[in-house]
Amino acid sequence: MTTQPLAETVNRLNELKRIKGEAYGGPNPKATEAQHAKGKLTARERIELLLDPGSFQEVEQLRRHRATGFGLEAKRPYTDGVITGWGKVEGRTVFVYAHDFRIFGGALGEAHATKIHKIMDMAITAGAPLVSLNDGAGARIQEGVSALAGYGGIFQRNTRASGVIPQISVMLGPCAGGAAYSPALTDFVFMVRETSQMFITGPDVVKAVTGEEITQNGLGGADVHAETSGVAHFAYADEETCLAEVRYLLSMLPQNNRELPPVVQSVDPADRSGHALLDLVPADGNRSYDMRKVVEEIVDEGDFMEIHAAWATNVICALARLNGQVVGIVANQPASMAGVLDINASEKAARFVQFCDSFNIPLVTLVDVPGFLPGVDQEHEGIIRRGAKLLYAYCNATVPRVSLILRKAYGGAYIVMDSRSIGADIALAWPTNEIAVMGAEGAANVVFRREISTATDPEAMRQQKIKEYKNELVHPYYAAERGLIDDVIDPRNTRQVLGRAVAMLAAKSTDLPSRKHGNPPQ
């Protein structure tokens, strides 16, 4: 009896897979050409860009659906329209699933969902990040409720993985209806301009119900979600840049909530002096400046990754490294709305603080805030409960927390921006700091209203009282004298002092009261 060589058997198996794949409606050259004609890569091309070369290990490549009716029994391609597996990003394990738009338009059916459920379970068990490359047409209509149940399983696993492993959604095509809720449950959403859209109800439904006419991109394109809705954290012009930035983000994140973020050897001197800071930040609290330039001057090599850069621009949230250690930076942005806190800024910062706390990333808060934004709309839309989200997030955070007041820190906004009173481990300030219930001008008008109104020269009296208030209550050392500030530092030493503080707190340990979970403001 002759034994068939193993190599020949493998070759025959691969040929059989190719023939069957084409016969049962698998991706063919025309489908690939159509994908490329739209400016889109195929699912496998995307995985190759995301992962280290040669590291991808596919799971359940031979799975096919078992549905019958509506012509499905004659079209049973391998993979069932989703590619699942794991690989490496900079040598660390990452799990991934990618919709293959060339098969059933990437629509989700029972077998398709089962594959995704499995890879999500594997990611949670292995304690490694999960990246979804989304390019699908929603639920597979021909499979009815089975497809809907598949989405339910994904949502349940998204929630179970939340705060346990990093979850990143990369939108590379359409995502409509209930399918859009999975990305919304993950930590970060990336989108590509012109080719990716997200919405619950599409333009046709919107027109039928409301009479409004709008394009897919106008309703749920990358810039809409990056600038208006806040659904997308990042938006890029092409898939290659987008996937490169996903790799960069993963390089700064721990594998799971039991690990610390990766530390690298920094070539930027820890004691580098920041002379430029003296010119970047005007001493006059009424003058604007770009806080991004301050962040650049402080962090390693001026390099940071801003989260939600185009949404709620009056606050900056960013990941960066300080002496090789990953830190999360929250900073008011005086160049946008004077750095005031409003509804969107509060929610943006709150979720970022929660993310950093979930994954052991120290927080550095740069404060220059004149208060919360006043207005009827803000009050009616819930600035109280939404601002409380940021307060809750900071109070609940157990990671190392260092705050620095550059200039203004007024009223409730000062408290909310990680003040000593809500648990900051180290609270610092520049000599230009003004910590008070409100600005000296407003305070003088309230406290000395009678003296000013009865004075022979009301304006001269007002200026005198403003000066008195500043000298007594708003001078740079008032808070330090009362232990609310640990030190008033030379701005040029900011990088050095912050780096030392974060390093000192590296082994911080906090015991919280036993509870199932908190009930944060909604």
Side-chain angles (χ1 to χ4, degrees):
M1 180 176 180
T2 304
T3 302
Q4 190 176 40
L6 178 60
E8 183 179 340
T9 301
V10 171
N11 289 335
R12 288 186 62 190
L13 174 62
N14 288 334
E15 180 64 13
L16 182 63
K17 285 163 58 178
R18 184 188 67 80
I19 294 172
K20 280 195 171 184
E22 292 179 359
Y24 288 112
N28 57 59
K30 289 185 177 180
T32 301
E33 289 174 10
Q35 185 83 344
H36 288 163
K38 298 174 185 176
K40 298 162 65 176
L41 302 174
T42 66
R44 295 189 184 278
E45 289 170 341
R46 290 163 175 166
I47 291 173
E48 288 177 5
L49 283 176
L50 174 67
L51 301 177
D52 295 346
S55 69
F56 182 57
Q57 177 63 53
E58 190 167 352
V59 174
E60 295 196 354
Q61 181 181 3
L62 301 179
R63 183 181 277 275
R64 299 190 292 174
H65 73 76
R66 297 173 294 179
T68 59
F70 304 102
L72 286 179
E73 65 277 3
K75 189 177 182 182
R76 299 179 61 220
Y78 292 117
T79 75
D80 200 51
V82 64
I83 299 168
T84 58
W86 75 87
K88 302 282 187 179
V89 172
E90 296 194 0
R92 297 192 301 157
T93 299
V94 172
F95 288 81
V96 61
Y97 69 85
H99 298 127
D100 192 339
F101 196 83
R102 300 170 300 169
I103 298 176
F104 298 127
L108 181 139
E110 182 182 19
H112 183 119
T114 301
K115 290 182 65 175
I116 294 175
H117 295 168
K118 179 174 181 176
I119 209 66
M120 294 179 79
D121 289 339
M122 291 176 68
I124 295 169
T125 301
L130 174 71
V131 178
S132 62
L133 305 179
N134 297 269
D135 186 6
R140 198 173 297 170
I141 299 172
Q142 299 94 323
E143 296 195 34
V145 70
S146 296
L148 296 178
Y151 275 123
I154 293 173
F155 303 157
Q156 192 268 344
R157 287 167 173 81
N158 283 138
T159 304
R160 179 154 37 106
S162 181
V164 178
I165 58 171
Q167 298 181 83
I168 298 173
S169 296
V170 188
M171 315 310 297
L172 301 166
C175 184
Y181 284 113
S182 177
L185 289 169
T186 61
D187 298 306
F188 297 103
V189 176
F190 288 72
M191 294 188 74
V192 176
R193 294 185 178 95
E194 302 303 324
T195 59
S196 62
Q197 303 89 27
M198 297 173 66
F199 37 69
I200 299 300
T201 54
D204 292 340
V205 176
V206 169
K207 182 179 180 180
V209 174
T210 70
E212 299 171 284
E213 292 192 16
I214 193 167
T215 64
Q216 288 194 348
N217 279 323
L219 182 63
D223 287 325
V224 168
H225 287 310
E227 299 173 12
T228 305
S229 72
V231 171
H233 300 79
F234 307 95
Y236 298 101
D238 57 76
E239 294 189 19
E240 291 83 356
T241 303
C242 181
L243 293 170
E245 290 298 302
V246 174
R247 286 177 57 88
Y248 178 48
L249 174 60
L250 286 167
S251 75
M252 290 193 286
L253 302 181
Q255 291 292 88
N256 54 63
N257 65 344
R258 302 183 302 278
E259 296 185 5
L260 296 175
V263 178
V264 300
Q265 186 66 39
S266 175
V267 298
D268 197 345
D271 59 353
R272 170 172 55 80
S273 181
H275 289 280
L277 292 172
L278 298 178
D279 298 321
L280 285 175
V281 182
D284 182 355
N286 294 320
R287 291 181 58 193
S288 177
Y289 65 94
D290 188 351
M291 183 67 82
R292 288 189 182 90
K293 296 187 180 299
V294 174
V295 176
E296 287 178 4
E297 187 64 28
I298 294 172
V299 302
D300 292 357
E301 302 177 72
D303 188 26
F304 64 94
M305 187 174 198
E306 188 171 355
I307 315 298
H308 269 145
W311 180 64
T313 55
N314 41 324
V315 70
I316 293 172
C317 297
L319 291 169
R321 283 192 168 92
L322 196 58
N323 299 335
Q325 167 68 59
V326 177
V327 295
I329 295 175
V330 179
N332 305 111
Q333 173 57 296
S336 176
M337 299 170 61
V340 69
L341 284 178
D342 66 350
I343 285 172
N344 287 344
S346 298
E347 294 196 333
K348 169 181 169 179
R351 193 160 193 272
F352 181 70
V353 169
Q354 288 173 172
F355 173 81
C356 290
D357 187 50
S358 294
F359 292 103
N360 310 310
I361 299 173
L363 287 162
V364 174
T365 304
L366 305 179
V367 185
D368 191 349
V369 62
F372 282 95
L373 180 65
V376 174
D377 289 345
Q378 289 288 305
E379 296 293 346
H380 287 185
E381 292 177 19
I383 186 63
I384 295 174
R385 63 180 174 84
R386 296 188 182 185
K389 290 184 180 182
L390 180 54
L391 180 61
Y392 187 98
Y394 269 125
C395 289
N396 204 46
T398 61
V399 292
R401 292 157 52 189
V402 181
S403 66
L404 170 65
I405 299 169
L406 282 64
R407 296 193 310 185
K408 300 185 296 295
Y410 294 160
Y414 152 63
I415 300 172
V416 167
M417 289 295 292
D418 204 20
S419 63
R420 161 57 56 77
S421 60
I422 65 169
D425 298 296
I426 298 292
L428 305 166
W430 283 3
T432 47
N433 80 82
E434 294 183 2
I435 306 174
V437 175
M438 63 177 68
E441 290 80 1
N445 290 336
V446 174
V447 177
F448 306 109
R449 181 175 62 251
R450 181 172 298 177
E451 291 94 324
I452 293 172
S453 63
T454 59
T456 305
D457 187 344
E459 181 57 27
M461 177 61 72
R462 191 174 77 87
Q463 293 301 325
Q464 177 186 332
K465 294 301 182 182
I466 290 173
K467 186 176 181 180
E468 288 179 12
Y469 187 85
K470 283 184 176 181
N471 290 337
E472 291 296 323
L473 296 176
V474 191
H475 69 77
Y477 300 97
Y478 185 86
E481 291 170 1
R482 285 152 181 81
L484 298 175
I485 294 294
D486 292 300
D487 196 8
V488 179
I489 66 172
D490 185 331
R492 292 169 292 188
N493 297 333
T494 298
R495 171 177 164 80
Q496 178 180 343
V497 174
L498 290 178
R500 287 177 176 176
V502 170
M504 178 273 294
L505 292 164
K508 176 185 175 182
S509 177
T510 303
D511 292 325
L512 294 176
S514 177
R515 61 179 175 181
K516 186 175 182 180
H517 56 73
N519 186 27
Q522 295 298 321

